[in-house]
């Protein structure tokens, strides 16, 4: 076991200021200092790798060790870690073979991190299980990937559903929560100096259109980028007639992959948690017959919502499947469909808590005179802890900040689930400000 000496930030300032920030970041000293720290992190890494190599040599196993060098997704800049632009998903991979094989060779093929398991098993002479999804990238019969895929779901308390497929030239991104901003509340990121700084610049009107896009109330349904011409992914080609065939092909490829892996991301998380308990785990839950084509079914509902097809949404709001009811009522709310008021009211008493929460939020969006606070408060006591987090997430989205919300937030701060506490802490602070203003 190797113990790295020292700590973080030992020597993490780049020696030069000679670099360009990506155009979607405001260029000033605050942002540049953050990037200098990020770019200078190689110095820490260099020391750590040197120590690991020295320890392997000291143990007498260096010449018999296959070394993989890779990273996670870097410093959490606004558009980087947790998002599916290349700043967030492109990481280095360096391999050192014991016999010096392929020294100095550079490969340009598309590799996913799941390829490391079968590659290392094969090199060690261990059979690769049939259910492994990755590829042995060292195999004699290895064939390059035409596509790589990536996904973003909930990170900490921030619920998100983004999927992407990438070739060497193009990237397609599907935003399933396109009615929500990129800059959803997140304690981890919101506390960082660059996050606070960029938000302040936005509020002061100092950001250009590109830099401001992160804070807009919604975002594109689909994004398509030519990575060769546009490495910073700022010119979205999804709406351009000349690229509709490419868009269609990439979309179809992504959806086929979601089907292939039986992607559970579109199932509301509280319900997925219950399914996992019922069937032993979430993987086994997704093998059940009623979930074999669930992605196509849910995508159809989401697309209907994006197109404003209220009649179809009303039909799916009566589905026996909770996931279908959830997405139907969610989009009835996003579309503020007054024709759906009675159906949404009915779903306030749905047997599934995810649907009840979505119905409370939807009805408030349709009719701001409706008070969703009582219904959302009841969900805090659910034994499924993710339900409480979803309820406070919905309450946060309403923008309601009053004494009652403050009391609910204080209650939520005693919750057993860390990420429910985070929403509660935020709501407590925001509602306390509002109450103080009204009491002046």
């Amino acid at each position: 076991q190797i113990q790295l000496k020292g700590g973080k930030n030992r020597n993490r300032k780049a020696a030069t200021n000679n670099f360009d920030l990506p155009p979607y970041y405001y260029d000033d000293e605050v942002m540049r200092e953050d990037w200098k720290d990020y770019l200078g992190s190689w110095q820490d890494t260099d020391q750590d790798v040197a120590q690991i190599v020295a320890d392997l040599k000291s143990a007498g196993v260096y010449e018999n060790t296959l070394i993989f060098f890779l990273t996670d997704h870097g410093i959490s800049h606004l558009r980087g870690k947790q998002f599916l632009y290349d700043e967030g998903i492109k990481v280095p991979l360096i391999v050192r073979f014991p016999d010096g094989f392929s020294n100095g060779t550079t490969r340009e093929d598309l590799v996913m991190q799941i390829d490391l398991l079968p590659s290392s098993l094969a090199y060690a002479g261990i059979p690769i299980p049939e259910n492994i999804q990755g590829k042995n990238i060292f195999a004699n019969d290895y064939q390059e990937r035409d596509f790589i895929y990536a996904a973003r779901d909930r990170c900490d308390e921030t619920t998100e559903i983004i999927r992407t497929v990438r070739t060497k030239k193009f990237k397609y991104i599907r935003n399933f929560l396109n009615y929500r901003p990129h800059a959803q509340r997140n304690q981890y990121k919101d506390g960082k100096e660059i996050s606070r700084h960029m938000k302040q610049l936005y509020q002061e009107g100092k950001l250009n259109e590109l830099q401001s896009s992160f804070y807009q109330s919604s975002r594109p349904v689909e994004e398509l980028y030519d990575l060769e011409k546009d490495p910073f992914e700022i010119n979205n080609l999804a709406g351009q007639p000349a690229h509709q065939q490419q868009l269609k092909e990439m979309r179809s490829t992504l959806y086929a992959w979601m089907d292939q892996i039986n992607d559970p991301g579109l199932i509301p998380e509280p319900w997925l948690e219950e399914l996992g308990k019922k069937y032993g785990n979430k993987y086994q839950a997704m093998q059940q017959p009623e979930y074999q084509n669930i992605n196509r079914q849910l995508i159809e509902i989401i697309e209907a919502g994006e197109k404003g097809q209220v009649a179809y949404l009303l039909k799916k709001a009566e589905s026996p499947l909770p996931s279908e009811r959830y997405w139907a009522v969610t989009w009835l709310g996003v579309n503020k469909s007054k024709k759906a008021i009675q159906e949404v009211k009915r779903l306030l008493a749905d047997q599934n808590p995810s649907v009840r929460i979505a119905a409370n939020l939807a009805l408030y969006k349709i009719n701001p005179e409706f008070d969703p606070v009582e219904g959302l408060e009841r969900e805090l006591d659910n034994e499924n802890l993710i339900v409480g987090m979803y309820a406070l997430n919905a309450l946060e989205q309403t923008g309601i900040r009053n004494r009652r919300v403050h009391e609910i937030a204080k209650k939520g701060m005693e919750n057993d689930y860390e990420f429910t506490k985070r929403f509660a802490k935020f709501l407590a602070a925001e509602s306390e400000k509002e109450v103080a203003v009204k009491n002046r």
Side-chain angles (χ1 to χ4, degrees):
Q1 183 176 358
I2 296 172
Q3 297 291 331
L4 298 179
K5 303 177 178 66
K8 294 182 178 180
N9 302 317
R10 294 191 296 271
N11 184 23
R12 292 187 59 173
K13 291 296 181 185
T16 178
N17 203 34
N18 184 26
F19 59 88
D20 295 323
L21 287 174
Y24 42 78
Y25 292 136
Y26 190 81
D27 194 339
D28 68 1
E29 194 59 29
V30 173
M31 301 301 293
R32 296 191 75 81
E33 281 298 308
D34 184 79
W35 270 74
K36 285 171 71 174
D37 185 52
Y38 168 58
L39 296 173
S41 64
W42 68 268
Q43 297 171 82
D44 282 1
T45 304
D46 202 37
Q47 294 175 38
D48 291 340
V49 171
Q51 181 189 329
I52 291 170
V53 169
D55 288 350
L56 290 171
K57 289 180 176 178
S58 177
V61 296
Y62 176 71
E63 296 301 333
N64 191 36
T65 301
L66 175 67
I67 300 176
F68 291 94
F69 174 90
L70 65 157
T71 73
D72 72 355
H73 306 292
I75 271 184
S76 56
H77 300 305
L78 302 183
R79 211 174 186 239
K81 189 174 184 178
Q82 298 186 353
F83 289 100
L84 303 186
Y85 302 107
D86 267 12
E87 187 185 316
I89 64 171
K90 188 176 181 180
V91 298
L93 174 61
I94 302 173
V95 183
R96 184 266 180 191
F97 293 91
D99 56 5
F101 173 71
S102 293
N103 277 359
T105 300
T106 299
R107 286 171 50 172
E108 300 292 339
D109 46 312
L110 299 171
V111 172
M112 299 175 69
Q113 288 177 323
I114 59 172
D115 295 331
L116 300 189
L117 174 58
S119 299
S120 55
L121 288 175
Y123 199 83
I126 300 172
I128 302 172
E130 291 184 1
N131 63 339
I132 293 295
Q133 294 176 334
K135 291 187 173 189
N136 173 14
I137 61 176
F138 308 136
N140 292 329
D141 60 352
Y142 167 71
Q143 293 182 345
E144 293 186 20
R145 294 179 181 273
D146 294 321
F147 306 96
I148 57 170
Y149 307 89
R152 155 77 196 272
D153 288 307
R154 177 163 68 93
C155 289
D156 301 326
E157 74 274 28
T158 309
T159 300
E160 185 61 277
I161 310 171
I162 315 175
R163 298 290 183 269
T164 190
V165 57
R166 187 194 195 281
T167 67
K168 289 183 178 179
K169 181 174 174 60
F170 286 102
K171 177 186 284 182
Y172 169 79
I173 297 175
R174 181 59 160 98
N175 294 300
F176 287 106
L177 299 187
N178 47 76
Y179 53 88
R180 299 282 289 141
H182 271 114
Q184 292 191 69
R185 209 200 65 75
N186 181 275
Q187 179 177 302
Y188 166 62
K189 280 197 167 184
D190 292 347
K192 293 180 176 293
E193 183 180 15
I194 58 167
S195 298
R196 298 194 304 268
H197 182 60
M198 282 285 286
K199 187 173 182 179
Q200 181 179 350
L201 291 171
Y202 171 71
Q203 293 170 340
E204 294 173 352
K206 294 181 179 179
L207 302 184
N208 62 31
E209 182 178 358
L210 172 63
Q211 294 160 352
S212 297
S213 62
F214 192 78
Y215 299 97
Q216 300 306 307
S217 59
S218 61
R219 58 190 126 145
V221 171
E222 299 176 300
E223 300 173 67
L224 179 67
Y225 300 104
D226 184 333
L227 300 173
E228 293 177 356
K229 297 178 180 178
D230 180 24
F232 287 118
E233 298 164 277
I234 59 179
N235 182 25
N236 185 6
L237 305 175
Q240 296 189 9
H243 292 88
Q244 289 309 295
Q245 185 59 34
Q246 184 71 43
L247 180 72
K248 182 179 179 180
E249 291 175 1
M250 298 285 279
R251 180 196 302 129
S252 178
T253 298
L254 180 69
Y255 288 176
W257 172 73
M258 292 177 68
D259 286 341
Q260 177 189 348
I261 66 169
N262 218 8
D263 188 340
L266 294 178
I267 297 177
E269 191 179 358
W271 180 230
L272 184 62
E273 187 77 5
E274 293 299 321
L275 292 173
K277 292 177 182 177
K278 179 179 179 180
Y279 293 106
N281 58 59
K282 296 169 187 176
Y283 175 81
Q284 289 299 328
M286 293 301 293
Q287 306 310 306
Q288 304 307 308
E290 64 265 38
Y291 294 105
Q292 289 304 297
N293 297 307
I294 192 66
N295 280 298
R296 296 290 174 158
Q297 296 166 220
L298 298 182
I299 288 172
E300 282 184 8
I301 298 172
I302 293 168
E303 289 179 340
E306 292 163 347
K307 296 171 184 175
Q309 296 173 348
V310 175
Y312 184 82
L313 295 175
L314 286 170
K315 177 183 176 182
K316 288 299 180 179
E318 299 180 350
S319 168
L321 295 179
S323 299
E324 292 196 344
R325 299 197 301 275
Y326 171 87
W327 280 110
V329 73
T330 293
W331 275 101
L332 288 169
V334 172
N335 286 305
K336 300 181 180 179
S337 307
K338 293 190 180 297
K339 294 180 180 179
I341 285 180
Q342 293 307 313
E343 181 63 27
V344 175
K345 283 184 177 179
R346 184 183 68 80
L347 292 174
L348 293 174
D350 194 271
Q351 62 183 357
N352 188 282
S354 298
V355 178
R356 295 195 299 267
I357 292 169
N360 272 279
L361 180 58
L363 192 53
Y364 178 73
K365 289 179 178 179
I366 297 170
N367 175 23
E369 298 299 318
F370 169 73
D371 183 2
V373 176
E374 182 179 353
L376 293 174
E377 180 183 12
R378 285 196 295 268
E379 305 298 345
L380 274 178
D381 296 324
N382 196 296
E383 62 180 13
N384 180 339
L385 297 181
I386 300 177
V387 170
M389 185 197 71
Y390 259 56
L392 288 191
N393 186 337
L395 187 55
E396 189 263 335
Q397 290 182 55
T398 66
I400 300 173
R401 307 287 185 265
N402 54 30
R403 188 178 302 279
R404 192 170 168 199
V405 170
H406 185 64
E407 293 172 355
I408 294 170
K410 288 171 63 177
K411 176 183 175 182
M413 290 171 68
E414 302 300 320
N415 196 277
D416 292 333
Y417 194 46
E418 168 63 25
F419 301 121
T420 302
K421 290 180 181 178
R422 292 190 184 186
F423 272 114
K425 181 180 177 182
F426 171 78
L427 285 168
E430 290 291 301
S431 55
E432 186 173 20
K433 292 178 188 176
E434 189 67 25
V435 170
V437 169
K438 289 181 179 180
N439 289 339
R440 285 179 183 173

